[in-house]
Amino acid sequence: MAKRIDVSGLSAYYGPFRAIEDISMTVEPRSVTAFIGPSGCGKSTFLRTLNRMHEVTPGGRVEGKVMLDAEDLYGTGVDPVTVRREVGMVFQRPNPFPTMSVYDNVAAGLRLNGSYKKSQLDDVVEKSLRGANLWNEVKDRLNKPGSGLSGGQQQRLCIARAIAVEPKVLLMDEPCSALDPISTLAIEDLIGELKQRFTIVIVTHNMQQAARVSDRTAFFNLAAVGQPGRLIEIDDTERIFSNPSVQATEDYISGRFG
Ligand SMILES: Nc1ncnc2c1ncn2[C@@H]1O[C@H](COP(=O)(O)OP(=O)(O)O)[C@@H](O)[C@H]1O
Ligand SMILES: [Mg+2]
């Protein structure tokens, strides 16, 4: 099958410090890939190289190649802003624009990228909120501030905002770690629905979550603090959690370290 993402020989630096080293992997369209591994092994850093967010950090630099379909994301002349529209991101802490209404939060990305008629915006906002399983809860308060929603609703609002611009890929960095168990389940259900339309990469510390939501799991590790993180193995999630190829993966998922 054609690959949606194809990473080869990727390293990322903060100034002189190499945070991740020589990562290669592929991701298929309409699948969920989970990134697991101990704190500091570079999961967030790697995720941010996939939409050119890493270079926003002062000293942030990338070596290697990331292909999104036929597009070389680090090729000459590629506009990082375009890349970030194609590869959306949802963060650990829900971060709706605090002064904006629910409606404007979802419409924000579209307004940045072009001019739309009110009726077109209305349609996209409704479709995106429905897509994020939030429409029924907010349809009567579209003009109220997004920051007035509960944490779980805010996170779904951020997902609605991300999908409104129809990205190819959705990156999620521990999207449930600030949420209660019910809100977490709502997001996990949503991920299962969103993968019909999007390619999803999710960082999680929760092994059950990785096992529940993902098709493929990538285990990252580092030899010691100060050493770069590496991809240890990537395989079908079922296999990673039943019979991984590498002892360190087994040790990590069974809670022996990390
Ligand atoms: N802004 C930054 N400046 C310098 N070093 C950083 C920065 N962000 C992360 N790092 C370092 O990069 C390494 C990987 O971090 P990170 O990607 O956050 O790991 P993870 O998400 O797996 O916990 C760590 O050693 C971390 O301290
Ligand atoms: Mg992280």
Side-chain angles (χ1 to χ4, degrees):
M1 201 200 275
K3 306 300 179 191
R4 171 99 330 143
I5 302 172
D6 190 341
V7 178
S8 43
L10 189 117
S11 299
Y13 299 78
Y14 295 96
F17 173 57
R18 175 154 47 178
I20 51 174
E21 180 174 63
D22 197 22
I23 294 177
S24 299
M25 72 163 66
T26 59
V27 174
E28 312 223 321
R30 298 191 174 82
S31 65
V32 179
T33 301
F35 289 178
I36 61 170
S39 284
C41 70
K43 303 177 298 295
S44 295
T45 301
F46 180 49
L47 202 68
R48 291 195 300 263
T49 67
L50 301 180
N51 73 344
R52 295 197 56 172
M53 289 267 292
H54 175 65
E55 67 207 56
V56 172
T57 307
R61 188 166 62 81
V62 170
E63 285 168 1
K65 196 164 178 177
V66 180
M67 298 295 292
L68 176 68
D69 297 326
E71 184 185 12
D72 179 353
L73 294 190
Y74 288 91
T76 13
V78 173
D79 179 2
V81 175
T82 309
V83 171
R84 288 171 209 141
R85 188 162 62 228
E86 290 177 317
V87 184
M89 187 138 186
V90 174
F91 300 86
Q92 182 169 351
R93 298 233 148 245
N95 60 346
F97 302 123
T99 58
M100 281 189 198
S101 67
V102 169
Y103 184 102
D104 288 342
N105 260 284
V106 182
L110 291 166
R111 285 184 170 136
L112 275 179
N113 291 312
S115 58
Y116 293 84
K117 290 201 204 90
K118 173 83 167 73
S119 62
Q120 287 175 308
L121 279 182
D122 288 353
D123 287 348
V124 176
V125 167
E126 177 171 346
K127 181 170 171 236
S128 306
L129 287 168
R130 283 190 189 281
N133 289 344
L134 188 59
W135 174 251
N136 288 335
E137 291 159 64
V138 300
K139 62 176 191 281
D140 300 322
R141 53 196 291 192
L142 292 175
N143 296 315
K144 299 264 167 59
S147 52
L149 302 177
S150 75
Q153 289 172 328
Q154 287 188 28
Q155 195 60 303
R156 280 178 284 139
L157 178 62
C158 293
I159 292 171
R161 179 177 68 189
I163 64 178
V165 296
E166 295 281 336
K168 290 181 173 175
V169 178
L170 209 47
L171 308 175
M172 300 181 159
D173 196 350
E174 301 187 42
C176 302
S177 60
L179 304 182
D180 62 77
I182 304 278
S183 307
T184 295
L185 278 183
I187 301 279
E188 289 182 6
D189 287 346
L190 179 56
I191 289 170
E193 294 170 23
L194 291 172
K195 84 165 184 182
Q196 317 296 324
R197 290 163 58 204
F198 304 98
T199 302
I200 296 172
V201 182
I202 177 175
V203 176
T204 179
H205 272 124
N206 180 328
M207 295 303 107
Q208 287 75 26
Q209 178 166 83
R212 278 193 297 260
V213 304
S214 72
D215 304 295
R216 305 265 293 167
T217 295
F219 173 62
F220 295 83
N221 201 2
L222 71 180
V225 174
Q227 295 290 310
R230 297 180 133 258
L231 173 64
I232 304 304
E233 62 178 311
I234 177 167
D235 211 329
D236 291 345
T237 295
E238 218 178 285
R239 164 122 201 178
I240 290 284
F241 284 94
S242 61
N243 188 20
S245 308
V246 181
Q247 185 61 40
T249 312
E250 167 100 49
D251 291 346
Y252 181 75
I253 60 173
S254 60
R256 275 193 277 267
F257 77 95

